Amino acid sequence: MDTAFAWQQLFENWPTSMPRRGLVVTAAGETIEFREFLTSEGLVAFERERPDTSGARKVVLAFSAITAVKMTDTEPLAGLKSLGFQGAQGA
């Protein structure tokens, strides 16, 4: 499975009902909190609410460098079905 492609699909198909905010964990172990994002082929640009320790409010990351995405909103888990997630058989 090409995880970079999977992450790109997740961000490009982010449900309109969900706020475009959360946290992304990188392969380097950094956690980036974001309040908005833009995608391009192979890359995603995140905007932070507050600057990081070096003063940066925006970061561009390769999809291949993403290991996890944490969603901070209270949207029901079923809201992720539009991203291709499925429940148990019959659920």
Side-chain angles (χ1 to χ4, degrees):
M1 176 181 159
D2 181 2
T3 57
F5 178 76
W7 288 125
Q8 185 164 348
Q9 292 301 300
L10 181 134
F11 282 102
E12 288 180 350
N13 295 295
W14 194 277
T16 56
S17 64
M18 289 178 56
R20 294 166 61 92
R21 65 175 178 251
L23 299 109
V24 66
V25 181
T26 72
E30 180 183 8
T31 299
I32 300 169
E33 184 175 359
F34 64 91
R35 69 174 180 183
E36 183 60 82
F37 60 86
L38 299 170
T39 63
S40 70
E41 188 60 41
L43 300 171
V44 59
F46 294 106
E47 181 176 46
R48 292 179 164 120
E49 184 78 33
R50 292 171 296 285
D52 66 8
T53 56
S54 60
R57 286 194 180 264
K58 295 172 185 64
V59 61
V60 177
L61 188 66
F63 286 111
S64 61
I66 297 173
T67 59
V69 174
K70 300 179 180 185
M71 298 171 183
T72 56
D73 67 279
T74 56
E75 173 89 12
L77 192 58
L80 298 179
K81 288 184 177 181
S82 64
L83 294 173
F85 291 96
Q86 303 174 26
Q89 285 280 357

